Amino acid sequence: MNDRLANAYARAASENRAALVTFVTGGDPTPADTAAVLDALVEGGADVIELGMPFTDPMADGPAIQRANLRALGAGTTTADILGIAKGFRARHPETPLVLMGYANPMVRRGPEWFANAAKEAGVDGVICVDIPSEEDDALGPALREAGIHPIRLATPTTDAARLPAVLDGAGGFLYYVSVAGITGLQQAAQGSIEAAVAKLKAGTDLPVAVGFGVRTPEQAAAIARVADGVVVGSAIVELVAEHGANAAGSVKTYVASLSSAIAAARKEMAA
Amino acid sequence: MTIINSLRTQPDERGHFGQFGGRYVAETLMPLILDLDREYRAAKQDPAFKAEFDYLLKQYVGRPSPLYFAERLTEELGGAKVYLKREELNHTGAHKINNCIGQILLARRMGKTRIIAETGAGQHGVATATVAALFGLPCTIFMGAVDVARQQPNVFRMKLLGAEVRAVESGAKTLKDAMNEALRDWVANVHDTFYIIGTVAGPHPYPELVRDFQTVIGNEAREQILEAEGRLPDMLIAPVGGGSNAIGLFHPFLDDPEIEIVGVEAAGEGLDTAKHAASLAGGSPGVLHGNRTYLLQDEDGQITEAHSISAGLDYPGIGPEHAWLHDIGRVRYEPVTDAEALASFQRLCKLEGIIPALESAHALAAAERIVPGMDRDKIVIVNLSGRGDKDIFTVADALGVKL
């Protein structure tokens, strides 16, 4: 099967750089505006796209993504809209991996199988469900795998060695290391702790390890890119959408391009 | 005697009550709630923990709370004898303190040095601020900005007790948003912070441990009714928001199949309107705040706003054990509207000289509906979960009285 996620990480690795993973909330500020923002992410050089599914109660998110969720829902964004956005993206970008990220309740509302099949049909490659840990994943995870979609798991600073196998059980696509014990978008972890954590995770899995939470500047992205397989940037992009609304595509592209070039140069600088 | 098919052995070790409950939290919290689970199991086995809990309930909270025969209410209704379990006489004026005492002992046992909690109307916030003061721990209470504005007396109480009250501006700015914000704070401060959840909801083991701390209500009631009447009651009635007072009363009686058990949901302006808080009668199963349960939600799984005149019942979910007891039919859940609760609120004031909480008034309204149809030799226990002093402004407003 054509594993777009594996291909994207493999291509980045072959170019001796980390993959750039970018997040944006679907339907923010309106469902009609998201396509242009997604295109801007790709044009700016993102390797993997995370499309946030808005939820009324985004418990793990900081203020920026909370507000994006409310804007999207306020504009009437539905699950059908999100799937439609994914489908349109897939038609325009046949090779760029697309990951849906969100909370359990909207994903399981019509049943895990329904969601897995609808996501597959829309061309989705992976799903990150923030509030279904492996211990509760006896329905959604199997349904996703059955449909050929990677269930992407999160590891955190509180995930100790004893617990890591449970997190990795059934994980696919890549492992998302949440580098801060906290909510999205607020502070960044110390570089040293990230390096140690990535080394520990990579010892436990062959999956690529992407690091996120609090990554804002090209310098921060480059620092992570030296040690991880992927760098995830979310809140900073969501804030650009908040600032520029329907006209955000241009500034999003410029910003993502700045991250992309910093990441591309990161390991070369290290070698030099 | 060994009860083979006991209804009192839930949840399973993963925190499931049938298909409900569980631990639906972000990975950051998983190790912490697993740790809490281990600590709670150990505390349960520790006689010193139980001894301190019992001591504080007696000497600080003022337990046991009386089981009072409401003679004039009984006469008025003309059916079964009505007893009131007087939880409103507890320190801080409601059942909430029972749970807070238990959880702060657990926090201290775990070496946590900071307390957080969510609150809607402020009752759980006041109870938490109270125990935090008692144990000398700093305390932050998350409260929706809308609730802060309409519950100023309780905000001031919490501040007097030394707590910081943080107004939550996210979402709809009410109880569920306060809980989201408390969870966010907890995720960011897991190393030193203990989250005292106020009801039988949240990720496992919270629904279990809050229930266990609240079963003092039912255990006392059982002993007290045997002493007063020489037999067990025929029916129990309690109001259900998240459902901690109700499960506290019900749980010790679940294995007595001849006892009818009635939980009362807030029907707000009516189940045929969008303004109610009856997640069993008007909701469907889903995942929120760490557990799977009945929720008020739309077809996309977005959580919809609850409404009740009683802020304590104004929550779009219900504890997972209630969801399970509803599904297996052991407990019957009935809706009561704002208007019915208001009428019962006033009736109890005049008949018994007791100002009930609006939450409790919902249970009284259900009793007034059911009791007249029962024989006079039957016995009903109604949980008077809290006192209504906090509600006088709301009630005055609803009655068009200017204070």
Side-chain angles (χ1 to χ4, degrees):
Chain A
M1 120 189 160
N2 178 21
D3 189 336
R4 295 187 196 93
L5 276 168
N7 294 346
Y9 278 98
R11 196 184 71 216
S14 75
E15 293 169 5
N16 190 28
R17 62 175 178 88
L20 176 57
V21 182
T22 55
F23 171 93
V24 70
T25 300
D28 175 26
T30 77
D33 296 319
T34 302
V37 177
L38 295 179
D39 290 349
L41 297 175
V42 176
E43 286 160 21
D47 298 286
V48 178
I49 307 298
E50 292 179 359
L51 178 62
M53 294 178 66
F55 182 44
T56 40
D57 295 81
M59 291 167 306
D61 283 298
I65 296 179
Q66 285 174 42
R67 285 193 289 265
N69 277 266
L70 287 181
R71 285 193 300 270
L73 293 173
T77 304
T78 63
T79 300
D81 289 330
I82 297 296
L83 293 167
I85 290 167
K87 205 167 197 165
F89 177 86
R90 179 53 64 231
R92 297 191 306 282
H93 306 278
E95 294 308 320
T96 308
L98 181 67
V99 172
L100 290 180
M101 180 167 186
Y103 292 82
N105 204 46
M107 292 185 187
V108 301
R109 179 68 170 118
R110 295 175 177 86
E113 293 80 15
W114 181 91
F115 176 70
N117 291 330
K120 183 66 187 175
E121 200 180 309
V124 169
D125 303 289
V127 167
I128 304 173
C129 182
V130 175
D131 54 347
I132 298 191
S134 59
E135 283 86 343
E136 298 290 350
D137 200 20
D138 41 21
L140 182 61
L144 291 170
R145 281 190 292 277
E146 177 70 20
I149 294 178
H150 292 298
I152 294 164
R153 289 272 168 71
L154 304 163
T156 72
T158 56
T159 309
D160 57 24
R163 190 169 156 66
L164 185 58
V167 169
L168 291 170
D169 182 27
F174 62 96
L175 185 62
Y176 185 154
Y177 178 61
V178 173
S179 61
V180 177
I183 52 178
T184 53
L186 295 186
Q187 77 268 52
Q188 207 212 353
Q191 180 69 14
S193 70
I194 292 175
E195 288 182 29
V198 169
K200 197 179 68 184
L201 295 174
K202 288 197 72 79
T205 180
D206 294 331
L207 291 173
V209 176
V211 177
F213 270 49
V215 184
R216 279 179 181 276
T217 66
E219 293 72 30
Q220 290 169 339
I224 290 171
R226 288 185 194 110
V227 296
D229 302 309
V231 181
V232 189
V233 180
S235 295
I237 296 167
V238 168
E239 282 167 12
L240 286 174
V241 176
E243 192 182 340
H244 301 285
N247 305 312
S251 47
V252 166
K253 182 180 166 183
T254 306
Y255 171 66
V256 171
S258 73
L259 298 171
S260 175
S261 56
I263 288 171
R267 293 187 196 162
K268 281 141 209 159
E269 281 164 14
M270 191 164 54
Chain B
M1 188 181 84
T2 310
I3 299 167
I4 311 265
N5 289 311
S6 175
L7 298 177
R8 303 188 61 204
T9 57
Q10 302 282 323
D12 67 18
E13 61 181 28
R14 291 165 64 205
H16 291 177
F17 302 87
Q19 63 156 315
F20 301 105
R23 290 183 276 232
Y24 292 88
V25 296
E27 174 59 25
T28 315
L29 284 182
M30 269 312 282
L32 193 80
I33 63 170
L34 292 172
D35 192 34
L36 174 62
D37 193 40
R38 275 187 298 273
E39 291 282 350
Y40 179 58
R41 305 287 147 222
K44 255 176 122 166
Q45 301 303 320
D46 181 355
F49 183 85
K50 186 178 176 344
E52 190 165 15
F53 180 63
D54 291 347
Y55 171 83
L56 286 168
L57 285 189
K58 183 176 179 201
Q59 304 296 349
Y60 187 71
V61 175
R63 302 201 72 92
S65 70
L67 184 70
Y68 163 72
F69 174 44
E71 207 170 339
R72 294 196 66 216
L73 178 63
T74 299
E75 267 169 39
E76 172 88 4
L77 298 180
K81 294 174 83 168
V82 178
Y83 280 83
L84 302 177
K85 181 61 176 160
R86 302 284 307 272
E87 288 299 299
E88 101 281 10
L89 293 176
N90 293 336
H91 180 43
T92 73
H95 68 288
K96 292 286 187 189
I97 191 86
N98 304 329
N99 165 50
C100 289
I101 294 280
Q103 287 199 51
I104 200 136
L105 289 174
L106 210 47
R108 193 188 57 186
R109 192 183 166 91
M110 292 176 74
K112 302 295 183 186
T113 54
R114 173 176 176 261
I115 299 298
I116 60 170
E118 85 294 341
T119 196
Q123 293 308 104
H124 175 58
V126 167
T128 302
T130 297
V131 297
L134 180 65
F135 282 77
L137 294 177
C139 172
T140 301
I141 304 293
F142 294 89
M143 188 171 185
V146 168
D147 290 332
V148 168
R150 64 185 177 187
Q151 302 288 347
Q152 277 298 317
N154 270 344
V155 172
F156 186 59
R157 277 186 193 101
M158 288 184 265
K159 288 180 177 168
L160 281 174
L161 292 160
E164 176 202 359
V165 179
R166 216 173 283 172
V168 175
E169 297 284 351
S170 62
K173 306 175 189 184
T174 58
L175 175 58
K176 81 178 172 73
D177 310 289
M179 194 151 179
N180 290 333
E181 206 59 32
L183 284 164
R184 290 181 188 120
D185 181 287
W186 198 30
V187 168
N189 296 288
V190 289
H191 56 287
D192 69 348
T193 297
F194 190 98
Y195 180 12
I196 298 186
I197 292 185
T199 190
V200 283
H204 178 67
Y206 279 104
E208 179 186 354
L209 69 85
V210 174
R211 174 198 73 198
D212 291 348
F213 293 138
Q214 291 291 4
T215 51
V216 63
I217 302 172
N219 287 332
E220 283 177 8
R222 200 175 170 99
E223 212 170 283
Q224 289 165 323
I225 199 72
L226 286 173
E227 191 182 313
E229 295 280 352
R231 71 177 185 87
L232 293 175
D234 299 286
M235 183 182 283
L236 309 171
I237 306 176
V240 181
S244 69
N245 87 81
I247 208 74
L249 175 64
F250 297 168
H251 199 262
F253 296 94
L254 288 178
D255 285 337
D256 300 285
E258 66 285 2
I259 300 177
E260 264 189 90
I261 307 183
V262 179
V264 183
E265 289 196 288
E269 294 178 7
L271 291 180
D272 51 348
T273 73
K275 302 194 83 177
H276 64 79
S279 38
L280 292 177
S284 52
V287 175
L288 181 70
H289 292 154
N291 67 99
R292 184 175 156 82
T293 189
Y294 278 83
L295 301 171
L296 299 179
Q297 55 181 329
D298 70 11
E299 75 270 14
D300 273 345
Q302 306 296 347
I303 308 304
T304 52
E305 288 300 311
H307 166 83
S308 169
I309 190 170
S310 150
L313 304 182
D314 196 349
Y315 178 69
I318 186 168
E321 190 162 13
H322 287 290
W324 175 69
L325 291 168
H326 166 73
D327 266 19
I328 64 169
R330 176 63 187 98
V331 178
R332 184 169 95 235
Y333 293 84
E334 292 198 4
V336 159
T337 63
D338 288 354
E340 292 170 308
L342 260 177
S344 298
F345 176 98
Q346 296 171 79
R347 194 168 293 123
L348 196 74
C349 292
K350 287 180 180 144
L351 283 176
E352 297 287 352
I354 298 171
I355 304 176
L358 278 170
E359 293 79 10
S360 316
H362 282 72
L364 291 163
E368 289 172 21
R369 196 192 286 158
I370 299 166
V371 165
M374 296 173 76
D375 292 340
R376 284 171 185 270
D377 61 351
K378 300 289 186 189
I379 301 167
V380 173
I381 297 178
V382 178
N383 205 8
L384 203 63
S385 54
R387 67 172 182 235
D389 307 55
K390 68 184 173 67
D391 292 318
I392 57 168
F393 300 102
T394 307
V395 171
D397 192 47
L399 298 177
V401 176
K402 228 177 147 51
L403 294 184

